[in-house]
Amino acid sequence: MTPRPPKSADQAARRPDQAARRPADQAARGPADQAGPERLRRRIGFEIELMAPPGVSRRTLAFDLAGRCGGSVRPVWHHDSEPSLAPGLGRFLHLTQGFEVRRADGSLLCTLVDDVTLLDGLDPRAPAVPGWFRILTDDGRLLRLIAAQCDPGSHLPVVLDPVAELWGAETREHGRFLRLDDPAGATIALAAPLSGERERPCEVITPPLAGGHRAALAELLGPARELGFSVPTEAAVHLHLDGGPFRAPHALANVVRLFAHHREPLRALLATNPACRRLAPLPEQLVAAVAGTPAVDDLRSAAADGGLTKFYDVNLTQLLTDTPVRDTVEVRILPGMLDEGEIVDRAALIELLLERCLDPEPIPAGADLLDLAAEALAGRP
């Protein structure tokens, strides 16, 4: 593939004034943009995985969104990991550049970050676009220290300087990489250009939305459609619902029953993307624990025995600890979508099924999912 001029994404990113002059209704266009009754009742945060077209980036979308609402963009770090080619080291932890978009009043509109699971259609040989880089290390504590000290809006040659000052050391160039070692010669971090078109993947993360979910999503996805963003091959949409109501043992057990005993019907009903990565059935130990009426400690023990992580069809890790980082239940099996109406329709079904989980009556293994949803709908005030 012929390398593309890197300037197009950056030029678009520097033109928020042009985005602001576009008609506001263009941002909400799409087949599901007609006004209607509010379908969602609970506070929900959305994570929507998209792919920018060649020559466009998540930075482009960030400045476009800010321009439309008279807001601002702030670079932020996104924490993740990638496979390591170094012998004896299974993975590198890394920081990549994301963008926080705020409205004119300072409230958060969204955050746009990379997603390492989105690979199809990217050219791994493509050189890095100027201004894009990542930082790598092998220790989570170092990663958090680096994120606190280094500026994601900085430039590659100097991005590690604040950390170097802490150690009284200097960064050294090794080909395209910058390397920072401590005085004893142990490597602290590497900084490297972000090649392989990794500026194109874009996970759109909303703050928790208490109402107006469809309109809020249209405000984000309309501009993305205009800029040519698409649904990646591996894409999913994740929903974060407040975890508090689901901490009760009977509710948590029912959530396990819903996603374990009804896994295939649920995935068929939602049209879960078979190419989506980081999904799995819940651990057998946790599923076995809900055969009776488990207490919270029983569920926590079973989850630990089964090695529960967030990378299952439903992320229950935050419900099984007294110190959650984000107190939510995360549903991860919705397919990738770029239409706000489709997202809200599926989210409404999930909302009803989770409301049924709050009923003390155990969810039967052979129950019809639509009947469960209808039961929850009928019980609403």
Side-chain angles (χ1 to χ4, degrees), residues 243-263:
F246 303 98
R247 288 181 167 273
H250 72 270
L252 182 51
N254 266 338
V255 174
V256 173
R257 294 182 186 109
L258 173 65
F259 283 88
H261 301 325
H262 301 272
R263 184 174 193 249

Side-chain angles (χ1 to χ4, degrees), residues 108-130:
L108 181 62
L109 178 64
C110 67
T111 305
L112 310 178
V113 300
D114 190 9
D115 186 310
V116 297
T117 68
L118 306 180
L119 298 169
D120 191 50
L122 300 179
D123 181 3
R125 302 163 299 175
V129 174

Side-chain angles (χ1 to χ4, degrees), residues 82-361:
E82 62 185 76
S84 169
L85 300 178
L89 181 62
R91 63 173 185 160
F92 271 119
L93 304 176
H94 70 222
L95 300 172
T96 54
Q97 294 157 293
F99 303 92
E100 183 181 88
V101 183
R102 292 192 173 271
R103 300 180 185 275
D105 64 3
S107 61
L108 181 62
L109 178 64
C110 67
T111 305
L112 310 178
V113 300
D114 190 9
D115 186 310
V116 297
T117 68
L118 306 180
L119 298 169
D120 191 50
L122 300 179
D123 181 3
R125 302 163 299 175
V129 174
W132 289 89
F133 56 86
R134 71 195 195 281
I135 296 176
L136 304 97
T137 188
D138 61 357
D139 186 292
R141 291 168 296 181
L142 284 177
L143 191 77
R144 292 186 290 274
L145 175 64
I146 293 166
Q149 296 293 320
C150 298
D151 180 5
S154 182
H155 302 283
L156 180 58
V158 297
V159 67
L160 290 176
D161 285 358
V163 180
E165 291 180 11
L166 294 178
W167 264 270
E170 294 183 357
T171 58
R172 300 183 184 277
E173 291 188 18
H174 292 264
R176 297 180 301 115
F177 290 77
L178 286 177
R179 177 171 168 170
L180 175 62
D181 295 342
D182 69 13
T187 299
I188 297 168
L190 302 172
L194 188 69
S195 58
E197 298 189 302
R198 292 306 313 175
E199 74 281 358
R200 289 177 55 199
C202 179
E203 182 174 353
V204 180
I205 304 172
T206 75
L209 304 175
H213 303 79
R214 183 169 172 164
L217 295 179
E219 185 178 10
L220 304 175
L221 299 182
R225 290 191 293 265
E226 289 186 25
L227 289 170
F229 279 70
S230 60
V231 177
T233 299
E234 310 92 341
V237 171
H238 300 167
L239 307 178
H240 284 265
L241 293 90
D242 284 342
F246 303 98
R247 288 181 167 273
H250 72 270
L252 182 51
N254 266 338
V255 174
V256 173
R257 294 182 186 109
L258 173 65
F259 283 88
H261 301 325
H262 301 272
R263 184 174 193 249
E264 293 308 322
L266 187 56
R267 291 165 66 93
L269 191 58
L270 295 172
T272 300
N273 180 5
C276 181
R277 305 166 188 264
R278 291 178 169 178
L279 295 179
L282 290 169
E284 294 179 3
Q285 295 88 333
L286 185 58
V287 177
V290 302
T293 54
V296 170
D297 288 344
D298 299 323
L299 295 170
R300 289 183 177 183
S301 178
D305 291 343
L308 185 71
T309 70
K310 67 175 287 185
F311 299 122
Y312 286 82
D313 290 0
V314 59
N315 173 15
L316 302 176
T317 58
Q318 302 300 296
L319 303 184
L320 293 164
T321 176
D322 292 327
T323 56
V325 175
R326 178 163 52 175
D327 192 7
T328 65
V329 53
E330 178 191 11
V331 178
R332 299 170 54 84
I333 57 173
L334 277 71
M337 293 171 279
L338 188 50
D339 180 86
E340 57 275 5
E342 293 179 1
I343 294 173
V344 168
D345 285 347
R346 284 175 169 84
L349 175 60
I350 290 293
E351 185 180 64
L352 286 169
L353 290 173
L354 287 177
E355 285 183 11
R356 171 57 183 84
C357 292
L358 299 176
D359 189 321
E361 183 69 23

